[in-house]
Amino acid sequence: MTDTVFPPRPAPIIPVKGQSGFPVARIFCVGRNYAAHAAEMGHEVDREAPFYFTKSAHAILQSGQDMPYPPRTSDLHHEMELVVAIGTKARDVALDQAIDAVFGYACGLDMTRRDLQAQAKEKRRPWDTGKDFENAAIIAPITPAAELGAWGGLPIRLTVNGLVTQEARLSDMVWSVREIIADLSTLYTLMPGDLIMMGTPAGVGPVVAGDVLHGTIGDLDPVTTRIV
């Protein structure tokens, strides 16, 4: 083994129901995958092709842990999402085979420094500082796909301090899981350990210290955090 100048950071691990953990390699995020959310942000959905941004695996915070309010923002927003965990290599995968790459599913929160994202958009710059920062990807335990029945129309819901802020159904997504995997696999070689955050429905909004977030999708383990 080659010596390193410092010990490499271990891969973040997400718990898996009934199994050992899922080591995370990369996080791909789907932009504007619910038409109502795109509209509330002043955009239209591009139905020609989906688009993506990324978060570092080291942005992960496990569900149930407190999220420290991040620096350099005064407008932290919640975005409730379905998370897809990839379990097999997928490159240029056909649409009818894309779902075979899925290991499991989880609830997740794509936390966003909305003011920094807006500044980047205004200057036509990348969104990295608004999207990819410590604790910005809050992920609940993964449920293996084999343990789920029909799930495509499941409700997706988020409450903040017990009040519903986001509510829709997974069937409202513009691009389905199989369509996203098929398309993304033409851009990247998807590998075991990759996560895909499938976009958020309408109702995103700011949170402050003391707020408690609780997100659910059907019978998946809920995602929860408290902003501190």
Side-chain angles (χ1 to χ4, degrees):
M1 178 181 291
T2 302
D3 289 335
T4 58
V5 295
F6 52 83
R9 296 174 68 179
I13 304 235
I14 300 298
V16 178
K17 291 181 67 173
Q19 300 184 28
S20 54
F22 184 93
V24 178
R26 297 178 292 183
I27 305 173
F28 300 99
C29 304
V30 185
R32 301 173 194 165
N33 201 24
Y34 289 79
H37 169 60
E40 75 178 348
M41 300 301 293
H43 303 288
E44 293 184 0
V45 171
D46 182 354
R47 297 180 184 274
E48 293 298 317
F51 82 94
Y52 310 99
F53 57 93
T54 61
K55 289 179 183 274
S56 163
H58 296 286
I60 283 179
L61 179 72
Q62 289 196 18
S63 176
Q65 296 180 328
D66 290 345
M67 179 190 182
Y69 197 94
R72 297 280 297 272
T73 183
S74 58
D75 196 21
L76 177 67
H77 277 213
H78 60 72
E79 297 190 12
M80 177 64 193
E81 311 206 358
L82 173 69
V83 181
V84 180
I86 299 298
T88 62
K89 181 178 178 180
R91 176 67 182 174
D92 290 323
V93 65
L95 184 62
D96 61 355
Q97 297 176 334
I99 213 72
D100 296 339
V102 176
F103 169 78
Y105 301 93
C107 294
L109 287 165
D110 166 16
M111 304 303 290
T112 303
R113 293 191 280 207
R114 190 71 73 200
D115 44 1
L116 299 189
Q117 184 193 34
Q119 292 167 19
K121 287 181 178 179
E122 183 179 358
K123 296 180 180 179
R124 303 180 67 84
R125 293 177 178 174
W127 297 359
D128 300 56
T129 58
K131 286 288 191 179
D132 188 6
F133 54 95
E134 289 89 347
N135 308 308
I138 307 172
I139 312 293
I142 296 167
T143 298
E147 297 182 13
L148 293 174
W151 57 268
L154 289 177
I156 177 171
R157 188 171 185 259
L158 181 75
T159 64
V160 179
N161 302 325
L163 300 176
V164 176
T165 57
Q166 293 185 266
E167 191 165 31
R169 290 192 174 273
L170 297 183
S171 53
D172 295 332
M173 290 190 295
V174 176
W175 304 98
S176 69
V177 171
R178 67 175 66 246
E179 288 171 324
I180 288 297
I181 291 173
D183 183 71
L184 197 55
S185 75
T186 68
L187 294 167
Y188 302 91
T189 301
L190 299 177
M191 298 293 291
D194 290 339
L195 297 179
I196 305 173
M197 301 189 77
M198 288 291 299
T200 194
V204 301
V207 292
V208 297
D211 284 347
V212 175
L213 285 62
H214 183 88
T216 58
I217 301 174
D219 292 330
L220 295 177
D221 282 9
V223 59
T224 63
T225 194
R226 179 169 60 104
I227 309 299
V228 296

